[in-house]
């Protein structure tokens, strides 16, 4: 590695892993944070914003550049989940070259701040690098590439990742396997999913290995497909330990009232469950500022998702997909929508934050 790059890498490693003062900017002390309010052993988490900037949101990478952001991340959460920094396109940008710098810094940050880490993600149809998606590989080569990636990445963080999203979004909303857009399933067949779990387990026997998806909060064709698949895989001795619903909700749709019942049936398979990417988006008024009614409904949706998780003994992990509106993925992907997280751009708290904290505190 060139000297300049080495110095930058060392500088990044040192500055990013330093422990962060526990009090968040406006909390006045740790006694009023989400992680303090949470029951013992229950992890309240957040995605770690970054891993590249969105096309029309050219802010610098939040985790590596925004110190107030990092202070709140450390003070409020007991679990962190890299938003993009462990995905293929970011961590394995070229064949044979890995980019571990930021993922290493996030794992170090977590250790310094007594947080657990959710690894995200190993087998997915999205955010794969071009060398992989457009490569011309034999099936054996492709299988070896996936095995090497999982062994290398999961092995690197062995003992330091609490849960891995091994397979992400492998079914369509109708409950059909993504045999077209998921390179691994398309080229290697459905059996590759079980292999991914086996390889991840070999690389880190302590990590709990999850399926993760959106639109599976309710009992529906998609969550039914996961239920049937996981039942079969576990009967075959495949090390599947968890099932998680992402929890990306919108005020434009109803609340998934059967979320608790759905989580309970997966718990009935002997699985851990989790909510992993919770946010509640809304169509904003022309002013761009949510109405009081929207903020109340948003708080209600957050509170009901958390309550469902707290009511299921196997659900001990609840992660929001970013905690401050300015770094949220939602406005980038949903024109005219936003305000999906629990804090305003200055890290002041929205009603949704207070709803989470009071719900947690009531269970202490
Ligand atoms: O960093 C590059 C930048 O260099 C480049 O110029 C630009 C060109 O498009 O792309 C940038 O990468 C962006 C990346 O985020 C890093 O910021 C991609 O455009 C953008 O598509 C990508 O969006 C991520 C999205 O997944 C992709 O599907 C969001 O940040 C991330 O929050 C979101 O997270 C997913 C979960 O992983 C899985 N569940 C759904 C959830 C929401 O889609």
């Amino acid at each position: 590695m060139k000297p300049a790059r080495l110095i930058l890498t060392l500088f990044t490693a040192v500055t990013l892993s330093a422990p962060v003062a526990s009090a968040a900017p406006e909390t006045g002390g740790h006694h009023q944070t989400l992680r303090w309010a949470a029951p013992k052993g229950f992890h309240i988490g957040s995605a770690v914003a970054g891993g590249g900037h969105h096309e029309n949101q050219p802010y610098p990478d939040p985790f590596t550049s925004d110190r107030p952001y990092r202070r709140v991340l450390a003070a409020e959460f007991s679990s962190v989940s890299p938003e993009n920094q462990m995905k293929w396109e970011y961590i394995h940008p070229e064949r044979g070259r890995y980019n571990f710098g930021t993922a290493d810094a996030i794992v170090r940050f977590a250790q310094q701040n007594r947080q657990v880490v959710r690894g995200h993600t190993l087998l997915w149809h999205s955010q794969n690098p071009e060398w992989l998606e457009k490569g011309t590989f034999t099936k054996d080569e492709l299988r070896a590439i996936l095995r090497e990636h999982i062994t290398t990445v999961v092995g690197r963080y062995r003992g330091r990742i609490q849960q891995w999203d091994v397979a992400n979004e492998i079914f369509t909303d109708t409950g059909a396997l993504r045999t077209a857009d998921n390179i691994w399933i398309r080229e290697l067949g459905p059996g590759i999913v079980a292999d991914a779990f086996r390889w991840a387990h070999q690389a880190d026997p302590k990590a709990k290995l999850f399926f993760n998806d959106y639109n599976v909060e309710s009992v529906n064709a998609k969550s039914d497909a996961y239920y049937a698949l996981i039942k079969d895989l576990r009967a075959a001795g495949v090390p599947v330990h968890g099932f998680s619903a992402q929890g990306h909700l919108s005020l434009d749709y109803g609340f998934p009232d059967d979320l608790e019942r759905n989580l309970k049936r997966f718990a009935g398979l002997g699985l851990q469950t989790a909510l992993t990417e919770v946010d509640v988006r809304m169509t904003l008024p022309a002013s761009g500022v949510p109405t009081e009614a929207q903020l109340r409904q948003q708080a209600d949706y957050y509170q009901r998702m958390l309550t469902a998780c707290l009511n299921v003994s196997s659900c001990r992990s609840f992660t929001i997909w970013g905690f401050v509106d300015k770094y949220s993925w939602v406005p980038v992907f949903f024109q005219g929508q936003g305000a999906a997280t629990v804090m305003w751009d200055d890290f002041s708290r929205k009603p949704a934050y207070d709803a989470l904290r009071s719900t947690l505190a009531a269970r202490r």
Side-chain angles (χ1 to χ4, degrees), residues 255-272:
F255 184 83
D257 291 314
D258 55 349
L259 171 60
E260 183 176 324
R261 177 164 71 89
N262 191 31
L263 292 175
K264 278 183 175 157
R265 69 167 175 161
F266 283 93
L269 293 177
L271 292 171
Q272 293 185 25

Side-chain angles (χ1 to χ4, degrees), residues 139-215:
K139 292 193 185 312
D140 286 348
E141 284 170 337
L142 202 57
R143 186 181 161 78
I145 287 169
L146 179 61
R147 180 169 197 165
E148 186 230 76
H149 179 91
I150 291 175
T151 304
T152 304
V153 174
V154 177
R156 184 180 184 87
Y157 303 113
R158 183 187 178 98
R160 295 184 289 167
I161 302 280
Q162 185 201 44
Q163 302 177 353
W164 265 107
D165 291 335
V166 172
N168 192 47
E169 304 174 9
I170 66 165
F171 287 114
T172 66
D173 283 353
T174 60
L177 261 182
R178 286 180 184 265
T179 49
D181 56 354
N182 183 305
I183 182 174
W184 309 111
I185 297 172
R186 181 182 69 239
E187 301 301 330
L188 302 173
I192 194 61
V193 174
D195 288 335
F197 277 86
R198 293 187 186 100
W199 295 333
H201 187 57
Q202 283 162 5
D204 184 352
K206 280 182 67 179
K208 297 305 177 191
L209 308 179
F210 276 67
F211 281 96
N212 185 55
D213 212 327
Y214 64 90
N215 289 352

Side-chain angles (χ1 to χ4, degrees), residues 50-55 83-84 87 89 120-121 124 126-127 168-169 212 214 246 248 277 321 329 332-333:
H53 60 81
H54 293 293
E55 268 179 84
E83 181 178 23
N84 293 292
K87 292 172 178 174
E89 71 175 356
H120 178 79
T121 181
W124 192 25
S126 180
Q127 290 186 265
N168 192 47
E169 304 174 9
N212 185 55
Y214 64 90
Q246 294 175 4
H248 291 298
E277 305 182 15
W321 205 240
W329 69 290
V332 181
F333 284 78

